[in-house]
Amino acid sequence: MALTFPLSCPSFFQLLPIKEITFDCPEVLATTRTKGGEILTADNGERLWQGEITLGQITRAELSRVRPLINLLRGMGSFLIFDPIRPFPQADANGALLSGFVPTISALVSNRELSITGLPPGYKLCRDDMLSFRYAANPTRYALHEVVSDATASAGGNITAMEVNPPIRAGATVGTAVTLTRPICKAMIVPDSHRAGRSN
């Protein structure tokens, strides 16, 4: 049976023997400088997460598990990925405190702020934590955001107007489930970016 895209994290990304990884969300701006030295910017599009993965030394058996998948994905398929440096909230090192809770978006305050309900009472989200949620359909889109401002849930499990980055895109809706453990986004291998390793 043919694989379906995006490939889940366990079926591809978590199989990779990663040695180094970058995970960044760069600005997409055009710039110009005035005679007075002022730098003016213009938004040229949505900010997208991007990165580079370097695999470490691996055995033939390990390579056999991932090489065909990498070759399949090159330019034609997508996969789900999370930042392995930030897989869980800092105040919940393995996500255990969220067991039995289903966080959801309770309000979209602005394109940089959202409110979340359904958290454990007193649950903390810290600056640099990550969260994700799905939105839209055909295709389903995956929003991945980093927390900009520290926030603590109330006794009722609510966090109000927490700032996130990058900006929240149109299509996000109230009532959508929020993922705080291994928050994901959809990725693809940029054409011509793959570099095969050396064997000996």
Side-chain angles (χ1 to χ4, degrees), residues 25-29 43-50 111 135 145 166-170:
C25 190
E27 62 278 11
V28 185
L29 299 173
D43 194 346
N44 264 7
E46 300 286 357
R47 296 178 67 179
L48 299 174
W49 291 97
Q50 64 184 33
N111 72 339
Y135 68 102
H145 299 276
I168 300 166
R169 293 190 186 179

Side-chain angles (χ1 to χ4, degrees), residues 58-103:
I58 56 178
T59 66
R60 168 66 192 272
E62 291 170 326
L63 181 61
S64 296
R65 294 182 70 204
V66 298
R67 180 164 49 191
L69 296 174
I70 292 171
N71 289 333
L72 174 68
L73 288 165
R74 289 167 65 182
M76 71 166 291
S78 59
F79 57 97
L80 300 178
I81 187 172
F82 60 87
D83 185 348
I85 307 301
R86 300 181 280 181
F88 302 105
Q90 296 167 66
D92 187 7
N94 59 9
L97 298 177
L98 287 168
S99 179
F101 292 87
V102 183

Side-chain angles (χ1 to χ4, degrees), residues 22-27 47-50 82-83 85-90 110-114 116 125-133 142-151 159 161-169 178-180 182-185:
T22 62
F23 207 90
D24 188 30
C25 190
E27 62 278 11
R47 296 178 67 179
L48 299 174
W49 291 97
Q50 64 184 33
F82 60 87
D83 185 348
I85 307 301
R86 300 181 280 181
F88 302 105
Q90 296 167 66
S110 70
N111 72 339
R112 289 187 7 237
E113 293 180 304
L114 54 76
I116 300 176
L125 288 174
C126 304
R127 178 179 294 164
D128 199 43
D129 286 343
M130 305 285 281
L131 62 88
S132 68
F133 55 87
Y142 299 79
L144 178 65
H145 299 276
E146 60 187 0
V147 175
V148 175
S149 53
D150 294 343
I159 286 178
M162 179 178 64
E163 185 173 3
V164 297
N165 182 62
I168 300 166
R169 293 190 186 179
V178 175
T179 300
L180 298 172
R182 296 189 180 96
I184 55 173
C185 66

